[in-house]
Coordinates of all heavy atoms in Angstrom, one line a residue:
M1 N 16.0 6.3 -3.8 CA 16.8 5.1 -4.1 C 15.8 4.0 -4.6 O 14.7 3.8 -3.9 CB 17.4 4.7 -2.8 CG 18.3 3.3 -2.9 SD 19.3 3.2 -1.4 CE 19.0 1.5 -1.1
H2 N 16.1 3.3 -5.6 CA 15.3 2.2 -6.1 C 15.5 1.1 -5.3 O 16.7 0.6 -5.1 CB 15.5 2.0 -7.6 CG 14.7 1.0 -8.2 ND1 13.3 1.0 -8.3 CD2 15.1 -0.3 -8.6 CE1 12.9 -0.1 -8.7 NE2 14.0 -0.9 -9.0
Q3 N 14.4 0.3 -4.9 CA 14.7 -0.9 -4.1 C 14.5 -2.1 -5.1 O 13.7 -2.1 -5.9 CB 13.6 -1.0 -3.0 CG 13.8 -0.1 -2.0 CD 12.7 -0.3 -0.9 OE1 11.8 -0.9 -1.1 NE2 13.0 0.3 0.2
N4 N 15.3 -3.1 -4.9 CA 15.2 -4.3 -5.7 C 14.3 -5.3 -4.9 O 14.5 -5.7 -3.8 CB 16.6 -5.0 -5.8 CG 16.5 -6.3 -6.6 OD1 15.5 -6.9 -6.7 ND2 17.7 -6.7 -7.0
H5 N 13.0 -5.5 -5.4 CA 12.0 -6.2 -4.8 C 12.3 -7.8 -4.7 O 11.6 -8.4 -4.1 CB 10.7 -5.9 -5.4 CG 10.4 -4.4 -5.2 ND1 10.0 -4.0 -3.9 CD2 10.3 -3.4 -6.0 CE1 9.6 -2.6 -4.1 NE2 9.8 -2.3 -5.4
N6 N 13.4 -8.1 -5.4 CA 13.6 -9.6 -5.2 C 14.9 -9.9 -4.4 O 15.4 -11.0 -4.5 CB 14.0 -10.0 -6.7 CG 12.8 -10.1 -7.6 OD1 11.7 -10.4 -7.2 ND2 13.0 -9.5 -8.8
L7 N 15.3 -8.9 -3.6 CA 16.4 -9.1 -2.7 C 15.9 -9.3 -1.3 O 15.2 -8.6 -0.7 CB 17.2 -7.8 -2.8 CG 18.5 -7.7 -2.0 CD1 19.6 -8.7 -2.4 CD2 19.1 -6.3 -2.1
Y8 N 16.5 -10.3 -0.7 CA 16.2 -10.6 0.8 C 17.1 -9.8 1.6 O 18.3 -9.7 1.5 CB 16.5 -12.1 1.0 CG 16.2 -12.4 2.4 CD1 15.0 -12.4 3.0 CD2 17.4 -12.8 3.3 CE1 14.7 -12.8 4.4 CE2 17.0 -13.1 4.6 CZ 15.8 -13.1 5.2 OH 15.6 -13.4 6.4
A9 N 16.5 -8.8 2.2 CA 17.1 -7.8 3.1 C 16.4 -7.6 4.4 O 15.6 -6.7 4.5 CB 17.3 -6.6 2.3
P10 N 16.6 -8.6 5.3 CA 15.8 -8.6 6.6 C 16.1 -7.3 7.5 O 15.2 -7.0 8.3 CB 16.2 -9.8 7.3 CG 17.5 -10.2 6.7 CD 17.5 -9.7 5.3
N11 N 17.1 -6.6 7.3 CA 17.4 -5.5 8.1 C 17.1 -4.1 7.4 O 17.2 -3.1 8.0 CB 18.9 -5.5 8.5 CG 19.2 -6.6 9.4 OD1 18.3 -7.1 10.3 ND2 20.4 -7.3 9.2
A12 N 16.5 -4.2 6.1 CA 16.2 -3.0 5.5 C 14.9 -2.4 6.0 O 14.1 -3.2 6.5 CB 16.0 -3.4 3.9
E13 N 14.8 -1.1 5.9 CA 13.6 -0.5 6.4 C 12.5 -0.8 5.4 O 12.8 -0.9 4.2 CB 13.8 1.1 6.5 CG 14.8 1.5 7.6 CD 14.9 2.9 7.6 OE1 14.0 3.7 7.3 OE2 15.9 3.4 8.3
I14 N 11.3 -0.9 5.9 CA 10.2 -1.1 5.0 C 9.5 0.2 4.8 O 9.2 1.0 5.7 CB 9.2 -2.3 5.5 CG1 8.2 -2.6 4.5 CG2 8.6 -1.8 6.9 CD1 7.4 -3.8 4.9
T15 N 9.1 0.4 3.6 CA 8.4 1.6 3.2 C 6.8 1.5 3.6 O 6.3 0.3 3.7 CB 8.5 2.0 1.7 OG1 7.9 1.0 0.9 CG2 9.9 2.1 1.4
R16 N 6.1 2.5 3.7 CA 4.7 2.4 3.9 C 4.0 1.7 2.8 O 3.2 1.0 3.0 CB 4.1 3.8 4.2 CG 4.5 4.4 5.5 CD 3.8 5.8 5.7 NE 4.5 6.7 4.8 CZ 4.1 7.9 4.6 NH1 3.1 8.4 5.1 NH2 4.8 8.7 3.7
Q17 N 4.4 2.1 1.5 CA 3.7 1.5 0.4 C 4.0 -0.1 0.4 O 3.1 -0.8 0.0 CB 4.1 2.1 -0.8 CG 5.5 1.9 -1.3 CD 5.8 2.7 -2.6 OE1 4.9 3.4 -3.3 NE2 7.0 2.6 -3.1
D18 N 5.2 -0.5 0.8 CA 5.5 -1.9 0.9 C 4.7 -2.6 2.0 O 4.1 -3.7 1.8 CB 6.9 -2.2 1.0 CG 7.8 -1.9 -0.2 OD1 7.2 -1.7 -1.3 OD2 9.0 -1.7 -0.1
M19 N 4.6 -1.9 3.1 CA 3.8 -2.5 4.2 C 2.4 -2.6 3.9 O 1.7 -3.6 4.1 CB 3.9 -1.5 5.5 CG 3.2 -2.0 6.7 SD 3.4 -1.0 8.1 CE 2.7 0.6 7.5
F20 N 1.8 -1.6 3.2 CA 0.4 -1.6 2.8 C 0.2 -2.8 1.7 O -0.9 -3.4 1.7 CB -0.1 -0.4 2.3 CG -0.4 0.6 3.4 CD1 0.2 1.9 3.4 CD2 -1.1 0.2 4.5 CE1 -0.1 2.8 4.4 CE2 -1.4 1.3 5.6 CZ -0.8 2.4 5.4
T21 N 1.2 -2.9 0.8 CA 1.1 -3.9 -0.2 C 1.1 -5.4 0.4 O 0.3 -6.2 0.0 CB 2.2 -3.8 -1.3 OG1 2.0 -2.5 -1.8 CG2 2.1 -4.8 -2.4
L22 N 2.0 -5.5 1.4 CA 2.0 -6.9 2.1 C 0.7 -7.1 2.8 O 0.2 -8.2 2.7 CB 3.2 -6.9 3.0 CG 4.6 -6.9 2.5 CD1 5.7 -6.6 3.5 CD2 4.8 -8.2 1.9
L23 N 0.2 -6.1 3.5 CA -1.1 -6.4 4.2 C -2.1 -6.6 3.2 O -3.0 -7.5 3.5 CB -1.4 -5.1 5.0 CG -2.7 -5.1 5.8 CD1 -2.7 -6.2 6.8 CD2 -2.9 -3.7 6.6
Y24 N -2.3 -5.9 2.1 CA -3.3 -6.1 1.1 C -3.2 -7.5 0.6 O -4.3 -8.1 0.5 CB -3.1 -5.0 0.0 CG -4.0 -5.2 -1.2 CD1 -5.2 -4.6 -1.2 CD2 -3.7 -6.0 -2.4 CE1 -5.9 -4.7 -2.4 CE2 -4.5 -6.1 -3.4 CZ -5.6 -5.4 -3.5 OH -6.5 -5.5 -4.5
N25 N -2.0 -8.0 0.2 CA -1.8 -9.3 -0.3 C -2.3 -10.4 0.6 O -3.0 -11.3 0.3 CB -0.4 -9.5 -0.8 CG -0.1 -8.7 -2.0 OD1 -1.0 -8.3 -2.8 ND2 1.2 -8.5 -2.2
A26 N -2.0 -10.2 1.9 CA -2.4 -11.1 3.0 C -3.9 -11.2 3.0 O -4.6 -12.2 3.1 CB -1.7 -10.8 4.3
L27 N -4.6 -9.9 3.1 CA -6.1 -9.9 3.3 C -6.7 -10.4 2.1 O -7.7 -11.0 2.2 CB -6.3 -8.5 3.6 CG -6.1 -8.0 5.0 CD1 -6.3 -6.4 5.1 CD2 -6.7 -8.7 6.1
Q28 N -6.1 -10.2 1.0 CA -6.7 -10.7 -0.3 C -6.7 -12.3 -0.3 O -7.8 -12.9 -0.6 CB -5.9 -10.2 -1.6 CG -6.6 -10.6 -2.8 CD -5.8 -9.8 -4.0 OE1 -4.7 -9.8 -4.0 NE2 -6.6 -9.3 -4.9
V29 N -5.7 -12.9 0.1 CA -5.6 -14.3 0.2 C -6.7 -14.8 1.2 O -7.2 -15.8 1.0 CB -4.2 -14.8 0.7 CG1 -4.1 -16.2 1.1 CG2 -3.2 -14.6 -0.5
L30 N -6.8 -14.1 2.3 CA -7.8 -14.6 3.3 C -9.2 -14.2 3.0 O -10.2 -14.6 3.6 CB -7.4 -13.9 4.7 CG -6.2 -14.4 5.3 CD1 -5.9 -13.5 6.5 CD2 -6.2 -15.8 5.6
G31 N -9.4 -13.4 1.9 CA -10.8 -13.0 1.5 C -11.3 -12.0 2.4 O -12.5 -12.0 2.6
E32 N -10.4 -11.2 2.9 CA -10.8 -10.2 4.1 C -10.5 -8.8 3.7 O -10.3 -8.0 4.6 CB -10.2 -10.6 5.4 CG -10.5 -11.9 5.9 CD -12.0 -11.9 6.5 OE1 -12.6 -10.8 6.8 OE2 -12.5 -13.0 6.6
L33 N -10.4 -8.5 2.4 CA -10.1 -7.0 2.0 C -11.3 -6.1 2.7 O -12.4 -6.5 2.4 CB -10.0 -6.9 0.5 CG -8.8 -7.5 -0.1 CD1 -8.8 -7.3 -1.6 CD2 -7.5 -6.7 0.4
P34 N -10.9 -5.0 3.0 CA -11.9 -4.1 3.6 C -12.8 -3.5 2.6 O -12.4 -3.4 1.3 CB -11.1 -3.0 4.3 CG -9.7 -2.9 3.5 CD -9.5 -4.4 3.3
A35 N -14.1 -3.2 2.9 CA -15.0 -2.7 1.9 C -14.8 -1.1 1.9 O -14.4 -0.6 2.9 CB -16.4 -2.9 2.4
E36 N -15.2 -0.6 0.8 CA -15.1 0.9 0.7 C -16.3 1.5 1.4 O -17.3 1.1 1.5 CB -15.3 1.2 -0.9 CG -15.3 2.8 -1.1 CD -15.4 3.1 -2.6 OE1 -15.0 2.3 -3.5 OE2 -15.8 4.3 -2.8
K37 N -15.9 2.5 2.1 CA -16.8 3.2 3.0 C -16.7 4.8 3.1 O -17.6 5.4 3.4 CB -17.1 2.6 4.3 CG -15.8 2.7 5.2 CD -16.2 1.9 6.6 CE -15.0 1.9 7.5 NZ -15.3 1.3 8.7
S38 N -15.5 5.2 2.8 CA -15.1 6.5 3.0 C -15.4 7.4 1.8 O -15.6 8.6 2.0 CB -13.7 6.7 3.5 OG -12.8 6.6 2.5
G39 N -15.2 6.9 0.7 CA -15.3 7.6 -0.6 C -14.1 8.5 -0.9 O -14.0 9.1 -1.9
D40 N -13.1 8.4 -0.1 CA -11.8 9.1 -0.4 C -11.1 8.4 -1.4 O -11.2 7.2 -1.7 CB -10.9 9.1 0.9 CG -11.6 10.0 2.0 OD1 -12.3 10.9 1.8 OD2 -11.2 9.6 3.3
V41 N -10.2 9.2 -2.2 CA -9.5 8.7 -3.2 C -8.1 8.9 -3.0 O -7.7 9.9 -2.4 CB -9.9 9.2 -4.6 CG1 -11.4 8.7 -4.9 CG2 -10.0 10.8 -4.7
L42 N -7.2 8.3 -3.7 CA -5.8 8.4 -3.6 C -5.3 9.8 -4.0 O -4.3 10.3 -3.4 CB -5.1 7.3 -4.4 CG -3.7 7.1 -4.1 CD1 -3.2 6.6 -2.7 CD2 -3.2 5.9 -5.1
E43 N -6.0 10.3 -4.9 CA -5.5 11.6 -5.5 C -5.8 12.8 -4.4 O -5.2 13.9 -4.7 CB -6.3 12.0 -6.8 CG -5.9 11.2 -8.0 CD -6.3 9.7 -7.9 OE1 -7.4 9.4 -7.2 OE2 -5.7 8.8 -8.6
D44 N -6.5 12.5 -3.3 CA -6.6 13.5 -2.3 C -5.3 13.7 -1.6 O -5.1 14.7 -0.9 CB -7.6 13.0 -1.3 CG -9.0 13.0 -1.8 OD1 -9.3 13.7 -2.9 OD2 -9.9 12.3 -1.2
F45 N -4.3 12.9 -1.6 CA -3.1 12.9 -1.1 C -2.0 13.7 -1.9 O -1.9 13.4 -3.0 CB -2.6 11.5 -0.5 CG -3.4 10.9 0.5 CD1 -4.5 10.2 0.1 CD2 -3.1 10.8 1.6 CE1 -5.3 9.6 1.0 CE2 -3.8 10.2 2.7 CZ -4.9 9.5 2.3
S46 N -1.3 14.7 -1.2 CA -0.4 15.4 -1.9 C 0.8 14.6 -2.6 O 1.4 15.1 -3.5 CB 0.1 16.6 -1.1 OG 0.9 16.1 0.1
D47 N 1.0 13.5 -1.9 CA 2.3 12.7 -2.4 C 1.7 11.5 -3.2 O 2.5 10.6 -3.4 CB 3.1 12.2 -1.2 CG 2.3 11.4 -0.2 OD1 1.1 11.2 -0.3 OD2 3.0 10.8 0.7
A48 N 0.4 11.5 -3.7 CA 0.0 10.4 -4.5 C 0.8 10.1 -5.7 O 1.0 8.9 -6.1 CB -1.4 10.6 -4.9
G49 N 1.5 11.0 -6.3 CA 2.3 10.7 -7.4 C 3.6 10.1 -7.2 O 4.3 9.5 -8.1
A50 N 3.9 10.0 -5.9 CA 5.2 9.3 -5.5 C 5.0 7.8 -5.2 O 5.9 7.1 -5.0 CB 5.8 10.0 -4.3
I51 N 3.7 7.3 -5.3 CA 3.4 5.9 -5.0 C 3.8 5.0 -6.2 O 3.4 5.3 -7.3 CB 2.0 5.8 -4.6 CG1 1.6 6.6 -3.3 CG2 1.6 4.3 -4.4 CD1 0.2 6.7 -3.0
A52 N 4.4 4.0 -6.0 CA 4.8 3.1 -7.1 C 3.5 2.4 -7.6 O 2.6 2.2 -6.9 CB 5.8 2.0 -6.6
D53 N 3.7 2.1 -9.0 CA 2.5 1.4 -9.6 C 2.0 0.2 -8.9 O 0.8 0.1 -8.7 CB 2.8 1.1 -11.1 CG 2.9 2.3 -11.9 OD1 2.3 3.4 -11.6 OD2 3.4 2.2 -13.0
Y54 N 2.9 -0.6 -8.4 CA 2.5 -1.9 -7.7 C 1.8 -1.7 -6.4 O 1.1 -2.5 -6.0 CB 3.7 -2.8 -7.5 CG 4.7 -2.2 -6.4 CD1 4.4 -2.5 -5.0 CD2 5.7 -1.4 -6.7 CE1 5.3 -2.0 -4.0 CE2 6.5 -1.0 -5.7 CZ 6.3 -1.3 -4.3 OH 7.2 -0.8 -3.4
A55 N 1.9 -0.5 -5.8 CA 1.2 -0.1 -4.6 C 0.1 0.6 -4.6 O -0.6 0.8 -3.7 CB 2.2 0.5 -3.6
K56 N -0.4 1.1 -5.9 CA -1.5 1.9 -6.0 C -2.8 1.3 -5.7 O -3.6 1.9 -4.9 CB -1.6 2.6 -7.4 CG -0.5 3.6 -7.6 CD -0.6 4.3 -8.9 CE 0.5 5.3 -9.1 NZ 0.6 5.9 -10.3
D57 N -3.1 0.3 -6.1 CA -4.3 -0.5 -5.9 C -4.4 -0.9 -4.4 O -5.5 -0.7 -3.7 CB -4.4 -1.8 -6.7 CG -4.9 -1.6 -8.1 OD1 -5.4 -0.4 -8.4 OD2 -4.8 -2.4 -8.9
P58 N -3.4 -1.3 -3.7 CA -3.5 -1.7 -2.3 C -3.7 -0.5 -1.4 O -4.7 -0.4 -0.6 CB -2.1 -2.3 -1.9 CG -1.7 -2.9 -3.2 CD -2.2 -2.1 -4.3
I59 N -3.0 0.7 -1.7 CA -3.2 1.9 -1.0 C -4.6 2.5 -1.2 O -5.3 2.9 -0.2 CB -2.1 2.9 -1.2 CG1 -0.7 2.3 -0.6 CG2 -2.4 4.2 -0.5 CD1 0.5 3.1 -1.0
Q60 N -5.1 2.4 -2.5 CA -6.5 2.9 -2.8 C -7.5 2.2 -2.0 O -8.4 2.7 -1.6 CB -6.6 2.9 -4.3 CG -8.1 3.3 -4.7 CD -8.5 4.7 -4.1 OE1 -7.8 5.7 -4.4 NE2 -9.5 4.9 -3.3
T61 N -7.3 0.8 -1.8 CA -8.2 0.1 -1.1 C -8.3 0.6 0.4 O -9.5 0.7 0.9 CB -7.8 -1.4 -1.2 OG1 -7.8 -1.9 -2.6 CG2 -8.6 -2.3 -0.2
F62 N -7.1 0.8 1.0 CA -7.1 1.2 2.5 C -7.7 2.7 2.5 O -8.3 3.1 3.5 CB -5.8 1.0 3.0 CG -5.4 -0.4 3.1 CD1 -4.2 -0.9 2.5 CD2 -6.2 -1.2 3.7 CE1 -3.9 -2.3 2.5 CE2 -5.9 -2.7 3.8 CZ -4.7 -3.2 3.2
V63 N -7.4 3.5 1.5 CA -8.0 4.9 1.5 C -9.4 4.9 1.4 O -10.0 5.5 2.2 CB -7.3 5.7 0.5 CG1 -8.0 7.0 0.2 CG2 -5.8 5.9 0.7
S64 N -9.9 4.2 0.4 CA -11.4 4.2 0.2 C -12.1 3.6 1.5 O -13.2 3.7 1.6 CB -11.7 3.6 -1.1 OG -11.4 2.3 -1.2
A65 N -11.4 2.7 2.1 CA -12.1 2.1 3.3 C -12.0 2.9 4.6 O -12.5 2.5 5.6 CB -11.4 0.7 3.6
G66 N -11.2 4.0 4.4 CA -11.1 4.9 5.6 C -10.0 4.5 6.6 O -9.9 5.0 7.7
I67 N -9.1 3.5 6.2 CA -8.1 3.0 7.1 C -6.9 4.0 7.1 O -6.2 4.2 8.0 CB -7.8 1.6 6.8 CG1 -9.0 0.6 7.0 CG2 -6.5 1.2 7.4 CD1 -8.8 -0.8 6.5
V68 N -6.6 4.4 5.8 CA -5.6 5.5 5.7 C -6.3 6.8 5.4 O -7.1 7.0 4.6 CB -4.7 5.1 4.4 CG1 -3.6 6.2 4.2 CG2 -4.0 3.8 4.6
S69 N -5.8 7.7 6.2 CA -6.3 9.0 6.1 C -5.2 10.1 6.2 O -4.1 9.8 6.5 CB -7.4 9.3 7.1 OG -6.7 9.2 8.4
G70 N -5.6 11.3 5.8 CA -4.5 12.4 6.0 C -4.6 13.3 4.7 O -5.6 13.3 4.0
S71 N -3.4 13.9 4.4 CA -3.4 14.7 3.2 C -2.1 14.5 2.4 O -1.9 15.0 1.4 CB -3.4 16.2 3.6 OG -2.4 16.5 4.5

């Protein structure tokens, strides 16, 4: 299901990619984005192709920092 990102829906479930994007944007404003330290890349995840374009940079940041891990 495609979400309308301009729709106010306080009771809607938030996706992981949206949660990471919100966190990324907040940390970017504060100048507190995490540094790369794990060397992991988004392509290591089997579901990387399902990530929306707007969320790829935020999620890659957290993956390479070692905050997001898994397969």
Side-chain angles (χ1 to χ4, degrees):
M1 181 170 136
H2 177 71
Q3 293 181 344
N4 181 341
H5 296 287
N6 294 319
L7 179 65
Y8 178 68
N11 296 322
E13 290 184 19
I14 187 168
T15 64
R16 286 179 294 172
Q17 68 181 0
D18 288 345
M19 181 178 59
F20 286 128
T21 300
L22 288 168
L23 179 58
Y24 176 90
N25 289 339
L27 292 174
Q28 188 174 40
V29 167
L30 296 171
E32 297 289 338
L33 285 174
E36 181 177 335
K37 64 181 177 181
S38 75
D40 293 336
V41 293
L42 195 54
E43 289 74 23
D44 292 341
F45 291 80
S46 61
D47 61 350
I51 298 170
D53 286 341
Y54 70 87
K56 286 183 180 174
D57 286 341
I59 295 175
Q60 176 58 56
T61 297
F62 295 122
V63 167
S64 64
I67 295 169
V68 174
S69 61
S71 59

